[in-house]
Amino acid sequence: MSGPLPPMAERRPRAVTFHGETFEDPYAWLRERDDPAVRAYLEAENAYAGQILAGTAALQETLYREMLGRIKQTDLSVPYRWHDHWYFSRTEEGKQYPIHCRKHRTLDAEEEVLLDLNALAEGRSFMALGAFEVSDDGTLLAFSTDETGYREYRLQVKDLRSGQLLPLAVERAGTVAWQADGRTLWYTVEDDAKRPWRLYRHRLGTTEHELVLEEHDEAFRVGIDRTRSGEWLVQIAGSHTTSEVRVLPATGEGNWRLVAPRRPEVEYDLAHQGERFVIRVNDTSRNFRLVAAPVEDPGPDRWEEVVPGRDDVMLEAVDAFGGHLVLSERADGLPRLRILPRDGGDRLIPFPDPVCEAYLGPNFVYDTTLVRFHYQSLTTPTSVFDFDLRTGSTTLLKQVEVLGGYDPAAYETARLHAPAGDGTLIPVSLVRRRGRPRDGTGPLLLEGYGAYGISYPIGFSSNRVSLLDRGVAVAIAHVRGGGDLGKPWHDAGRMGQKMNTFTDFIAVAEYLVAQRWTAPARLVAEGGSAGGLLMGAVANLRPDLFRAVVSQVPFVDVLNTMADASLPLTVGEFEEWGNPAVPEQYRWIRAYCPYRNLRAGRYPAMLVRTAFNDSQVMYWEPAKYVARLRTLKEDDAPLLLVTNLGAGHGGASGRYDRLREIALDYAFVLAMTGVAEPA
């Protein structure tokens, strides 16, 4: 065991039986969040972690000051235009949260503060902004906030003329859209399992909230949106694998029209362009194709193919403007933005780096020849560009300033491919300080996720410089289960193929060691949420391969969680992990569930983070995992559980508080790899 155990309440274990197999769960009592003994246990774990990490206190402070010193604390976002205003946000030194503002017609006009999150956060340990929707005439703001981290948002409306809040408060609100009249609000609400399931229409100034739609299939979530053209409201019902879309004129007149009925394993979404809808659908290709249909009859019988499905290119999104489409694509794990003008042609927006991340920025103007996009790489700070369709030129509007003399030329990147056991090549993105020897002794932080078809971003972090300058390389394993190589890449790492995610990560680690980028004694793995599941699985499968593991809000009690339909997200996630009530699917999960597969033996050092108000991965999963592992591990490597008692899934909401958390994580990584000062 690693050090003294914090106090544990005496509780009888709960017997859990699946398909004839019974497991005595000794720490099920940690689910009782209102039990004072539970909070006492979490506080004791925090105190224990503090004791173990006391020797890194000075390093944590140094790291915090370094990271803070790279941030331009008083800063301004790039304004974007919508109707008669320019919208932007700004930050002020010493304040945790952004201030949302606008200017009327010109950027020289007087600033109008729409929402100051710092004022809303007074007296609270957490504040997050959800919806932020301004009415067409610019007089009303519909916004939602979460004050606990549980991702439970309250919807309110602010009169921007008087600055007063209207007498409206909707709890558990989801997506929001204004009707064209600017006085009618459409919004969704969540059920007890945090599933958006009802769509309402509310006319301001009345007490009536009209229930328009109720989704009874627990695997489906509903959302409301409005097209960029402003002409249509779009209602989407979707599970992880299936979707269904309805449209209604933004005037609110008429009835909702179904585009295509839901079909298992068929997903689609749409955008509006003039006389047609353009529809992204995976009915004939897992990587999606693009079709068009007339607005008066957009059913499948009227679909005409615009871009066919491609095995080597994932069509991730389509954005429609008056004179062109922008396709967000991904090929070989890398993003690209493709322009399709209505009058013909096809062009890619050029990027300066071959390995990068790029995505569309706020583009609210429908009739425009400018396309705004955000760009970054492992060495290039986040940059905002406008691409001009008329000239083909790209204009840099702003690059996030990294203070303290950051020089991107001091760092180098590599794009590697590690062979998995079945021969599949797993992409790896790597960054390190230029000139460091590649002799098998260098420390390396290996990150991964691999779930829900989400591509791991190849993005910039000024915080990461504190690791790089101390000689720590950082690599990203783009494992199966993510969306890095399209929908088939996701399919190959979910349900019965989930084990590929874990063996891919192990294969990448082995490859990096074999190629002398690092060594097991100096290799640290990090992942969060579903990436925390990845951490738990690989620590069980290959504990000898890693010196340490940083596991953020880890989904480690998979069997118990997926067997409890009362928990948020569970039913909808059957399509990602499987349903333990089905014997075959139980066996899939049983083979890798980190909590159930803990065993006696040696484990890497671990820093496990959780948050008491987490609604995605309940705090008790990592708490139970750490408590049980303490009784099984046969080494003295640190095992630490750190609980943020006032936050949720994403950790601290304030930017300074968040930096403190990162400083602790980095200090742990550096301490475990024997590094302290910059090289």
Side-chain angles (χ1 to χ4, degrees):
M1 299 181 191
S2 55
L5 291 174
M8 295 283 287
E10 291 295 331
R11 295 290 193 277
R12 297 178 63 181
R14 182 171 69 95
V16 182
T17 301
F18 294 99
H19 308 292
E21 182 182 25
T22 298
F23 173 67
E24 295 282 336
D25 188 353
Y27 302 109
W29 65 273
L30 283 168
R31 289 183 50 145
E32 305 301 324
R33 64 179 298 131
D34 295 329
D35 186 339
V38 170
R39 192 174 186 95
Y41 170 69
L42 297 175
E43 290 173 344
E45 282 280 12
N46 281 351
Y48 175 63
Q51 293 171 11
I52 298 300
L53 293 173
T56 69
L59 176 58
Q60 290 183 48
E61 185 63 25
T62 297
L63 290 166
Y64 174 77
R65 293 297 170 187
E66 283 179 11
M67 294 186 292
L68 183 62
R70 297 190 193 99
I71 297 172
K72 189 176 182 181
Q73 297 184 57
T74 299
D75 205 358
L76 189 73
S77 71
V78 178
Y80 62 87
R81 186 166 67 87
W82 191 68
H83 291 306
D84 290 336
H85 291 87
W86 290 91
Y87 291 82
F88 59 96
S89 65
R90 58 181 176 83
T91 55
E92 295 181 0
E93 184 170 352
K95 294 186 176 181
Q96 295 265 28
Y97 301 99
I99 302 166
H100 295 269
C101 311
R102 71 180 180 184
K103 293 185 177 183
H104 188 240
R105 293 184 184 259
T106 71
L107 293 174
D108 295 329
E110 183 179 354
E111 176 188 274
E112 177 187 357
V113 174
L114 305 182
L115 210 59
D116 184 348
L117 292 183
N118 300 285
L120 294 178
E122 287 182 5
R124 299 180 174 89
S125 62
F126 190 93
M127 175 56 61
L129 179 64
F132 186 90
E133 299 288 341
V134 179
S135 60
D136 288 23
D137 63 5
T139 63
L140 298 172
L141 169 65
F143 70 98
S144 62
T145 53
D146 169 22
E147 300 173 359
T148 67
Y150 195 66
R151 297 189 179 179
E152 199 163 88
Y153 290 88
R154 176 187 297 113
L155 173 64
Q156 298 175 279
V157 175
K158 182 178 182 180
D159 189 324
L160 298 178
R161 295 161 296 189
S162 67
Q164 301 300 308
L165 292 176
L166 301 187
L168 170 72
V170 177
E171 304 296 336
R172 296 181 177 178
T175 51
V176 177
W178 286 102
Q179 199 166 286
D181 60 12
R183 294 298 177 272
T184 303
L185 199 61
W186 295 78
Y187 63 89
T188 62
V189 296
E190 297 177 337
D191 61 12
D192 291 339
K194 296 195 62 59
R195 177 181 68 96
W197 74 307
R198 284 177 171 170
L199 173 66
Y200 287 90
R201 174 164 53 183
H202 172 65
R203 174 75 178 178
L204 297 180
T206 72
T207 59
E208 182 181 1
H209 293 256
E210 177 191 358
L211 176 60
V212 176
L213 178 142
E214 187 172 273
E215 176 58 63
H216 292 285
D217 189 329
E218 293 181 81
F220 280 73
R221 304 159 66 88
V222 299
I224 184 70
D225 198 5
R226 190 164 162 199
T227 59
R228 179 178 283 105
S229 67
E231 296 183 25
W232 294 89
L233 290 161
V234 181
Q235 181 264 308
I236 302 174
S239 71
H240 281 292
T241 62
T242 305
S243 57
E244 183 177 75
V245 176
R246 290 175 169 82
V247 293
L248 178 75
T251 59
E253 299 172 354
N255 298 314
W256 286 95
R257 187 189 314 161
L258 177 65
V259 175
R262 63 187 68 175
R263 291 167 48 198
E265 300 292 328
V266 175
E267 302 169 78
Y268 72 98
D269 50 54
L270 61 75
H272 171 242
Q273 187 183 54
E275 77 289 352
R276 66 178 185 170
F277 290 119
V278 286
I279 302 165
R280 187 184 74 106
V281 59
N282 66 350
D283 55 347
T284 63
S285 168
R286 289 298 287 159
N287 277 339
F288 290 84
R289 63 179 179 135
L290 185 66
V291 301
V295 295
E296 68 272 8
D297 182 14
D301 291 344
R302 301 295 303 276
W303 290 358
E304 294 185 2
E305 189 167 87
V306 178
V307 177
R310 293 153 290 175
D311 291 339
D312 58 344
V313 179
M314 172 69 173
L315 177 57
E316 294 188 322
V318 56
D319 285 80
F321 297 83
H324 62 278
L325 303 176
V326 180
L327 308 186
S328 297
E329 300 178 335
R330 192 168 292 268
D332 192 28
L334 300 173
R336 63 190 192 191
L337 298 174
R338 182 179 298 278
I339 310 295
L340 297 182
R342 285 220 67 173
D343 58 3
D346 183 337
R347 69 193 334 177
L348 288 174
I349 295 180
F351 298 151
D353 297 306
V355 180
C356 63
E357 196 64 43
Y359 51 92
L360 287 188
N363 287 275
F364 287 95
V365 179
Y366 176 64
D367 289 305
T368 180
T369 59
L370 297 177
V371 176
R372 179 162 298 177
F373 67 96
H374 291 195
Y375 171 90
Q376 57 186 307
S377 75
L378 293 173
T379 58
T380 304
T382 301
S383 309
V384 181
F385 290 92
D386 271 351
F387 178 76
D388 193 325
L389 274 69
R390 297 166 300 180
T391 64
S393 62
T394 301
T395 302
L396 174 65
L397 304 178
K398 178 184 176 71
Q399 184 175 90
V400 172
E401 188 175 354
V402 182
L403 305 181
Y406 171 75
D407 178 10
Y411 308 91
E412 61 180 352
T413 62
R415 183 72 164 181
L416 312 171
H417 290 84
D422 61 3
T424 302
L425 294 179
I426 312 302
V428 183
S429 302
L430 184 145
V431 61
R432 66 173 188 162
R433 181 87 186 186
R434 193 178 296 277
R436 298 291 297 176
R438 185 173 145 193
D439 58 6
T441 67
L444 187 144
L445 177 65
L446 178 61
E447 303 172 353
Y449 185 73
Y452 304 112
I454 296 173
S455 300
Y456 201 112
I458 310 169
F460 180 80
S461 168
S462 64
N463 298 328
R464 189 191 293 138
V465 174
S466 287
L467 294 180
L468 300 178
D469 284 355
R470 287 172 170 82
V472 180
V474 177
I476 300 166
H478 301 280
V479 294
R480 283 176 283 189
D484 307 78
L485 272 72
K487 197 69 176 177
W489 199 251
H490 176 209
D491 293 339
R494 70 179 181 97
M495 302 296 280
Q497 303 300 313
K498 187 61 194 171
M499 190 62 77
N500 283 334
T501 303
F502 316 129
T503 55
D504 284 357
F505 192 86
I506 290 169
V508 169
E510 291 175 331
Y511 175 81
L512 293 171
V513 170
Q515 297 297 311
R516 299 179 64 77
W517 293 99
T518 189
R522 308 202 79 190
L523 176 59
V524 180
E526 181 177 24
S529 193
L533 161 62
L534 172 60
M535 296 300 101
V538 300
N540 283 338
L541 291 168
R542 285 295 307 277
D544 59 304
L545 192 52
F546 306 96
R547 172 68 182 93
V549 170
V550 179
S551 195
Q552 311 275 6
V553 291
F555 178 39
V556 284
D557 193 15
V558 186
L559 272 177
N560 283 324
T561 292
M562 294 309 299
D564 188 348
S566 69
L567 293 175
L569 309 182
T570 292
V571 174
E573 306 246 319
F574 287 159
E575 294 176 323
E576 180 73 17
W577 316 104
N579 182 354
V582 179
E584 180 188 24
Q585 297 179 17
Y586 165 76
R587 290 191 291 272
W588 300 342
I589 301 171
R590 177 65 178 85
Y592 64 76
C593 175
Y595 186 60
R596 287 293 297 274
N597 285 286
L598 288 171
R599 64 187 186 278
R602 302 181 65 85
Y603 275 83
M606 289 190 189
L607 171 61
V608 181
R609 279 193 176 274
T610 187
F612 197 57
N613 296 327
D614 193 339
S615 64
Q616 313 300 108
V617 178
M618 298 300 180
Y619 72 87
W620 60 74
E621 291 201 36
K624 288 170 55 179
Y625 172 82
V626 168
R628 184 164 184 246
L629 180 55
R630 285 198 189 285
T631 68
L632 294 171
K633 70 195 305 283
E634 298 173 344
D635 56 73
D636 294 324
L639 173 58
L640 308 176
L641 175 68
V642 177
T643 304
N644 187 325
L645 295 167
H649 197 61
S653 58
R655 57 177 177 162
Y656 299 112
D657 294 341
R658 182 62 186 141
L659 279 183
R660 291 286 185 190
E661 292 185 333
I662 296 170
L664 187 151
D665 296 347
Y666 281 6
F668 176 79
V669 170
L670 294 170
M672 292 303 101
T673 54
V675 180
E677 298 304 320

